[in-house]
């Protein structure tokens, strides 16, 4: 029997990459996307799927009770997968309000609409149609970890992955780690996680939560470190590194995350949380230095890029500028994803060096996508956030 997926927030970075993986999968399915198209949602990112008829697109807010209820009623999805959120820490420090509205009130509305549909179906002795509500969360709900000198880590997972990597601390987040988000963004996501789990415990709603580390890949909005640095290198602009550049993130390619989400939707247990991470811990300064070399090299091999962005050919470490640190800046994130690896049969497949190079190639081959953003309101955002740092 064919399944219907309602995917919310899928015009953004991770959701749009998830859609590509979902529609390519063999299963016979219908996919409906609900997205508000905030500054971060980009119809260009899903245009190919709309035009080819593989998804149906509805513009709207996950916090809109009537709209969400009517979509559930019309499509009766087996899966509701919620990517919709305000997702940038710096913006949440600048103004927390939209974070509470979308990340908490929006999730409340989705859960409540699902609960009401399920309870009406049960009351009429019908089989509930919803098999799984998946809440896409983040490792940032766990707060941060101490940073120390890198050492080889995670022996069990290293053996399973067949590769070695370095940890910048003694431990990593497991699913039972306490929630202690540091920013309004991470606190709003943690609040939504607690609410989501309460709908399992109190109402039996089949929910599953995924918590992933920092994603990178195509179509990420250039307010986030990697695409921001790529764009600045192209324009010969300084590369703002917060604090000392020693903060550590555990980077995962967005396709690896997307495969994990699909596995959690189909095979995750209701009421459970699954961590996903890339086992690629890096200090920010090392990422920035790698990008300088990769962008410079790639631009030199692409005549159209070299002609349009000659500054990229002269990029060097002298562009790096240490700026005032982010308030409450989390020092280190590191994920222990053993549960997903052992119970969902999931693995992160992309090596960071290969993934970073292919991500740079995507940005250089899709300059129209980048230009459509950086020529708009982004300029005001950049000025507001970076001018006096
Ligand atoms: P994004 O900011 O690129 O995209 C968010 C999308 O949600 C946009 O399309 C936006 O239009 C939409 N949206 C926002 N508010 C909405 C609302 N009220 N109603 C309907 N649509 C709305 O974000 P992303 O990086 O793709 O992140 C997706 C999810 O994954 C978020 O929940 C985020 O917390 C989580 N996450 C992100 C990362 C990361 O590294 N980017 C890591 C772990 C988890
Ligand atoms: P970001 O991409 O905003 O993700 P998150 O804050 O969710 O981890 O930032 C990644 C890291 O890069 C984080 O430690 C902050 C740092 N950073 C900079 O040093 N300069 C920048 O201009 C940005 C956007 C981030």
């Amino acid at each position: 029997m064919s399944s219907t997926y309602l995917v919310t927030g899928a015009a953004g970075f991770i959701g749009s990459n998830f859609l590509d993986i979902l529609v390519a999968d063999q299963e016979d399915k219908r996919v409906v996307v609900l997205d508000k198209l905030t500054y971060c949602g980009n119809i260009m990112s899903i245009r190919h799927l709309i035009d080819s008829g593989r998804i149906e697109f509805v513009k709207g807010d996950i916090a809109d009770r009537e709209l969400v209820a009517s979509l559930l009623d019309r499509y009766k999805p087996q899966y509701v997968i919620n990517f919709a959120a305000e997702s940038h820490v710096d913006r949440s420090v600048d103004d927390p309000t939209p974070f509470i509205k979308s990340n908490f009130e929006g999730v409340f509305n989705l859960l409540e609409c699902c609960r009401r549909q399920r309870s009406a179906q049960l009351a009429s002795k019908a089989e509930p149609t919803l098999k799984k509500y998946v809440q896409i969360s983040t490792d940032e709900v766990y707060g941060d970890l101490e940073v120390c000198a890198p050492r080889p880590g995670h022996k069990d997972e290293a053996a399973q992955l067949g590769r070695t990597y370095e940890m910048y601390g003694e431990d990593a987040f497991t699913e039972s780690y306490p929630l202690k988000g540091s920013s309004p963004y991470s606190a709003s996501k943690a609040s939504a996680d607690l609410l989501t789990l309460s709908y399992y415990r109190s109402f039996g709603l089949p929910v599953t939560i995924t918590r992933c580390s920092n994603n990178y890949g195509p179509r990420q909005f250039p307010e986030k470190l990697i695409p921001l640095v790529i764009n600045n290198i192209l324009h010969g602009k300084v590369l703002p590194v917060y604090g000392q550049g020693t903060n550590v993130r555990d980077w995962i390619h967005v396709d690896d995350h997307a495969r994990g989400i699909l596995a959690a939707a189909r095979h995750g247990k209701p009421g459970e949380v699954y961590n996903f991470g890339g086992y690629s811990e890096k200090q920010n300064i090392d990422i920035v230095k790698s990008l300088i070399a990769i962008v410079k090299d790639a631009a030199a091999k692409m005549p159209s890029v070299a002609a349009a962005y000659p500054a990229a050919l002269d990029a060097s470490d002298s562009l790096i500028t240490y700026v005032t640190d982010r308030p409450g800046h989390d020092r280190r994130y590191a994920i222990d994803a053993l549960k997903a690896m052992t119970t969902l049969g999931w693995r992160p497949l992309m090596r960071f060096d290969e993934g970073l190079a292919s991500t740079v190639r995507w940005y250089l081959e899709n300059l129209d996508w980048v230009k459509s953003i950086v020529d708009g309101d982004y300029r005001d955002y950049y000025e507001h956030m970076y001018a006096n740092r």
Side-chain angles (χ1 to χ4, degrees), residues 292-304:
I292 293 168
I294 298 170
V295 174
K296 185 174 178 173
D297 185 52
K301 292 181 180 141
M302 296 172 76
S304 60

Side-chain angles (χ1 to χ4, degrees), residues 8-16 34-42 60-64 82-88 98 101-103 106 135-140 185 189 210-216 219-221 223-224 251-252 254 257 261:
T8 52
F13 164 48
I14 304 175
S16 65
L34 171 64
D35 197 297
K36 189 176 170 183
L37 297 182
T38 65
Y39 77 92
C40 226
N42 191 338
D61 194 327
I62 56 166
D64 181 336
N82 178 37
F83 292 90
E86 291 292 329
S87 66
H88 191 37
K101 289 217 175 307
S102 289
N103 301 4
Q135 173 63 14
I136 309 305
S137 186
T138 163
D139 61 353
E140 304 196 20
Y185 163 65
K189 295 293 289 184
T210 62
R211 294 188 183 136
C212 191
S213 57
N214 285 60
N215 285 220
Y216 69 97
R219 305 185 197 126
Q220 186 168 30
F221 194 85
E223 64 190 353
K224 307 280 168 49
W251 294 91
I252 183 173
V254 66
H257 183 196
I261 292 167

Side-chain angles (χ1 to χ4, degrees), residues 3 70 111 118 220 240 265 310 350 356 387:
S3 295
S70 74
L111 291 166
R118 179 183 155 89
Q220 186 168 30
M350 182 68 90
L356 198 61

